[in-house]
Amino acid sequence: MSSSSTIGSALAALTASGRAESRLAFGCDYNPEQWDPSVWAEDIRLMREAGVTIVAINVFGWAQIQPRPDVFDFSGLDAIIELLHEAGIGINLGTGTASPPPWLSTKHPEILPVDADGVRAWPGGRQAYCPSSPVFRAAAQRLATEVVTRYGSHPAVQLWHVSNELGCHNAHCYCDVSASAFRDWLRAKYGTVDALNTAWGTTFWSQRYGAWEEVLPPRHTLSAGNPAQALDFARFSSDEVLECYRMEERIIRRLSSVPVTTNFMVTAHIRNQDYWQWAPYMDVIANDHYLDHRLPDPHQELSFAADATRGLAGGDPWLLMEQATGAVNWQPRNITKVPGELMRNTFAHVARGADGVCFFQWRASAQGTEKFHSALLPHAGTDSRKWQEVLELSRALGSVRELAGTRVVADVALVFSWEAWWATDLDSHPSEELRYLEQVHAAYRALWEAGITVDIVRPGADLSAYRTVVAPSLYLVRDDEVKAVTDFVAGGGTAVITFFSGIVDQDDRVRLGGYPGAFTNLLGLHVDEFFPLAAGGSVTLDDGATGTVWSEHIVPGAADVVATYADGPLPGSPAVTRNTFGGGSAWYVGTALDRPHLSGLLARAAQEAGVDVPADHGDGVEQVLRRGPDADYRFYINHSDETRPARAAGLELLTGAAVDGLELPPGAVRVVKTKREE
Ligand code: GAL
């Protein structure tokens, strides 16, 4: 397992951070097998022109390098590796196991995944395998062993890229092999069927199991199924896909000393991997991020994902393994980036701790599913605006090379949990409008708009470095996680907890005695009934705020009432409270507050806790601070259409100009370096 300091040093090998030649990694997925070898020389020449330092190859190479069950052909890969090596371009080498070739699924159709209705997927796309399949695993193991044996000591290989976005399409398989693996996992967790019955509450609805053979994955049922079963299946599925990674990781560690990682998907639309459990096995934390135009504020979700990725890296720098120069091809409408947006997106990742920025993919495909996905080199070639932007971006990253190895500074923590996400979004809850990620994003956006940088932390994390912690809709919470927040407040910290938090334990069992069970004491109140709002409904608070989605009957104990409902089902009842607890305070928000009021409330709570909240916030300028051993680097990213002033003094790295006060043109990015006097 990697500690966070080895994450930093593994990435430092790619960025040479802290040394005179330091740089930020800049690169892409490179799929040369799509092209005639005559194109490769031009690729390499243009990669050098664009300042590419690292490329991911062999990610989907399986069918090329193992064309038949007993035939391996590395000639193409050998040639590419040598070309890149000669050009001084580092390699992020795929183990090649991401997508089984047709011969494997033809010979072994039982590796194909099965959905909750019992329908087996066909081959023809990608990642069509059951993560628990011993046949798939043996084949992947064999391929990975061949690849690592051949290239494990090659001087150009800087990073191992295990598989690709593990669990992107196949996270949940319901086949009989998965069912058996699920039972093994449950047996290891519970020991006895009786213990499982207790944890799952199977006495209700006549679901009691008498033997392990009776236990199944949560396949499609007529009514809603057992929620604890669904929750355990989500945990099992994450563990099972992680085990696919670990199987390859073990091979790599045996045969090579090059750092190992895989690309995470900390995004808005994929929630199936509990990356808090995965992170310890990575030498470098790497994320893939694509703007999601189905969301109201894609660039704020980008910032959230970047902060969450840094959280997974324990605060150390991390690697953006994939993003797009423009449009993707897998959303309903594939919106491209307007001029300047690529620079803003990239610098938002860098501001939030990325020490390397890579893209999918090098050259836009002429064929196949992703031919309309943007790339560094578009279909139009170098005679294009996109190519000029890529060159400009590469130059800009060159001018901030000294950032490598520096760390983001944050006084506020936001608790985020994949397990709570799965649990909150289970069926049969008070309101289908309460979706965990939406509430997390709402809190994050409110903090973003208040100009407050946050660290995203796991539940139960040590909070002692922070002044304020925010826990949005943390429905499922374990006792030790409750204690972490309670101790933090008792010791002088400020917590802000929002509705539908603290409701159940790890088995999805309601904590009795009034909601929010786990936090009633800390918050100095209890809730005796939920009053979710009708679809599209809203309530007004006496301070003018609007609440949506949720309301509830709060009975204050020690807590002070900060705001009450002016209308709706609970006029005169508390909506927002604040409790003094030990040396600190704990705020509670009982409804989904509108953006400006949630932002104002979080800014007030943070400010009262001593957080430095910028006075000029709320103007669409993203501000983040990275700190090095002897300098501070302040990022300013103007997302607005107006020129914005900023009080910054120092050396602006992108223009090379000394500044005392900034005028930020619309869309501009600036990084101001200030020497620190120790
Ligand atoms: C990622 C994947 C890449 C490519 C990209 C397109 O999910 O790792 O292979 O498909 O998306 O956006």
Side-chain angles (χ1 to χ4, degrees):
M1 282 208 196
S2 299
S3 67
S4 85
S5 61
T6 57
I7 292 172
S9 53
L11 193 53
L14 268 59
T15 59
S17 74
R19 300 209 288 276
E21 73 277 25
S22 76
R23 62 179 183 217
L24 300 181
F26 182 63
C28 52
D29 277 32
Y30 181 36
N31 299 301
E33 53 279 344
Q34 299 175 91
W35 302 96
D36 186 87
S38 59
V39 177
W40 299 352
E42 187 193 43
D43 284 341
I44 303 287
R45 179 176 64 75
L46 292 174
M47 281 179 192
R48 291 184 60 134
E49 185 181 333
V52 165
T53 66
I54 187 162
V55 296
I57 55 171
N58 195 41
V59 175
F60 292 98
W62 198 337
Q64 266 75 35
I65 59 179
Q66 192 182 7
R68 309 296 315 149
D70 291 312
V71 177
F72 287 91
D73 175 4
F74 290 105
S75 53
L77 191 53
D78 284 352
I80 281 293
I81 288 180
E82 287 321 310
L83 279 177
L84 291 165
H85 183 42
E86 279 163 26
I89 297 170
I91 295 173
N92 172 14
L93 187 55
T95 54
T97 57
S99 207
W103 61 255
L104 183 54
S105 49
T106 305
K107 196 166 167 216
H108 292 288
E110 72 274 20
I111 71 165
L112 293 165
V114 171
D115 72 12
D117 284 310
V119 177
R120 201 175 278 282
W122 292 93
R126 65 175 176 183
Q127 216 176 54
Y129 63 85
C130 159
S132 303
S133 164
V135 176
F136 167 77
R137 286 189 183 187
Q141 203 161 2
R142 184 174 175 208
L143 181 72
T145 306
E146 291 284 336
V147 171
V148 182
T149 304
R150 191 171 187 91
Y151 302 112
S153 315
H154 194 289
V157 178
Q158 296 187 339
L159 189 61
W160 282 108
H161 183 303
V162 170
S163 190
N164 187 61
E165 292 192 342
L166 281 152
C168 174
H169 309 283
N170 64 345
H172 296 150
C173 176
Y174 298 80
C175 74
D176 289 341
V177 171
S178 298
S180 167
F182 184 38
R183 285 190 285 270
D184 290 345
W185 184 93
L186 292 167
R187 217 180 269 122
K189 177 170 179 180
Y190 294 112
T192 65
V193 178
D194 277 350
L196 174 134
N197 278 315
T198 304
W200 286 10
T202 56
T203 45
F204 194 68
W205 275 14
S206 181
Q207 291 175 345
R208 196 180 170 284
Y209 297 103
W212 285 110
E213 299 72 60
E214 297 165 8
V215 182
L216 293 170
R219 291 174 177 157
H220 189 175
T221 45
L222 279 180
S223 69
N226 181 306
Q229 176 194 20
L231 183 58
D232 265 345
F233 187 67
R235 292 174 174 134
F236 155 78
S237 300
S238 174
D239 285 359
E240 205 65 355
V241 179
L242 172 60
E243 183 49 34
C244 291
Y245 169 85
R246 296 216 49 214
M247 181 187 80
E248 295 193 36
E249 182 209 356
R250 284 191 286 270
I251 295 169
I252 294 169
R253 297 208 188 280
R254 187 159 49 79
L255 299 171
S256 171
S257 54
V258 171
V260 192
T261 192
T262 190
N263 39 353
F264 288 177
M265 297 165 287
V266 181
T267 65
H269 63 286
I270 294 182
R271 60 164 200 187
N272 295 325
Q273 290 72 41
D274 182 351
Y275 289 130
W276 294 123
Q277 305 297 330
W278 288 44
Y281 302 103
M282 311 292 143
D283 292 330
V284 170
I285 295 292
N287 195 42
D288 292 353
H289 189 271
Y290 294 94
L291 284 188
D292 191 335
H293 289 281
R294 294 163 291 196
L295 298 172
D297 295 294
H299 69 273
Q300 290 175 328
E301 189 278 329
L302 180 159
S303 301
F304 170 79
D307 285 340
T309 308
R310 185 179 72 256
L312 290 162
D316 277 343
W318 51 277
L319 179 64
L320 181 66
M321 191 83 97
E322 292 180 24
Q323 67 165 341
T325 59
V328 298
N329 67 307
W330 42 263
Q331 290 176 22
R333 285 162 207 82
N334 295 297
I335 312 292
T336 191
K337 297 186 182 185
V338 297
E341 195 173 359
L342 176 58
M343 187 78 78
R344 289 195 292 285
N345 288 172
T346 302
F347 272 80
H349 283 296
V350 172
R352 294 173 190 279
D355 266 8
V357 174
C358 301
F359 292 82
F360 178 85
Q361 60 177 327
W362 163 249
R363 185 185 275 275
S365 301
Q367 291 179 289
T369 318
E370 301 192 296
K371 60 182 171 298
F372 294 119
H373 194 291
S374 60
L376 289 170
L377 189 57
H379 287 152
T382 52
D383 186 13
S384 57
R385 177 177 70 79
K386 192 60 75 190
W387 179 251
Q388 293 312 315
E389 274 199 273
V390 165
L391 299 183
E392 192 192 340
L393 178 68
S394 176
R395 277 194 297 273
L397 289 171
S399 62
V400 297
R401 50 180 54 225
E402 65 191 81
L403 283 166
T406 62
R407 291 169 68 92
V408 174
V409 178
D411 285 336
V412 176
L414 185 141
V415 179
F416 175 65
S417 155
W418 276 272
E419 190 180 47
W421 187 355
W422 301 332
T424 310
D425 290 4
L426 285 167
D427 290 340
S428 312
H429 275 192
S431 172
E432 65 174 21
E433 284 186 37
L434 199 178
R435 310 302 288 174
Y436 177 70
L437 194 67
E438 285 175 18
Q439 295 310 318
V440 170
H441 281 168
Y444 183 86
R445 268 200 312 263
L447 289 156
W448 191 104
E449 277 159 15
I452 297 171
T453 304
V454 300
D455 279 349
I456 309 280
V457 301
R458 62 187 300 157
D462 175 10
L463 298 168
S464 54
Y466 302 102
R467 293 176 184 274
T468 299
V469 60
V470 181
S473 299
L474 194 62
Y475 163 77
L476 180 149
V477 61
R478 294 161 192 266
D479 290 347
D480 60 314
E481 298 164 358
V482 177
K483 188 171 180 307
V485 178
T486 310
D487 288 353
F488 167 71
V489 177
T494 292
V496 183
I497 295 175
T498 75
F499 58 95
F500 213 49
S501 287
I503 307 297
V504 298
D505 67 10
Q506 65 276 8
D507 296 329
D508 197 42
R509 184 186 291 108
V510 172
R511 295 172 176 275
L512 302 175
Y515 317 121
F519 295 119
T520 46
N521 190 34
L522 172 68
L523 295 168
L525 54 79
H526 76 273
V527 170
D528 62 8
E529 194 174 6
F530 300 137
F531 285 74
L533 303 180
S538 64
V539 284
T540 313
L541 276 59
D542 64 352
D543 60 0
T546 302
T548 52
V549 181
W550 195 261
S551 67
E552 53 187 19
H553 186 233
I554 296 176
V555 182
D560 295 327
V561 176
V562 177
T564 57
Y565 292 108
D567 58 19
L570 298 164
S573 279
V576 178
T577 63
R578 181 182 189 276
N579 189 38
T580 303
F581 183 88
S585 42
W587 295 69
Y588 185 61
V589 184
T591 182
L593 285 182
D594 64 81
R595 283 165 78 155
H597 281 89
L598 185 57
S599 195
L601 183 140
L602 290 171
R604 177 177 159 197
Q607 212 151 24
E608 283 178 19
V611 176
D612 185 16
V613 179
D616 49 2
H617 65 261
D619 59 1
V621 177
E622 184 169 3
Q623 296 188 29
V624 185
L625 169 62
R626 278 184 79 159
R627 177 159 290 165
D630 42 37
D632 278 353
Y633 301 88
R634 287 195 170 71
F635 286 72
Y636 301 87
I637 305 173
N638 185 0
H639 294 274
S640 82
D641 296 331
E642 313 276 325
T643 296
R644 301 286 193 210
R647 285 169 301 165
L651 177 66
E652 202 289 303
L653 295 178
L654 295 174
T655 55
V659 294
D660 190 2
L662 274 182
E663 285 290 310
L664 294 160
V669 175
R670 298 285 184 265
V671 182
V672 179
K673 173 183 180 181
T674 318
K675 286 262 181 221
R676 289 175 50 226
E677 275 130 45
E678 290 300 317

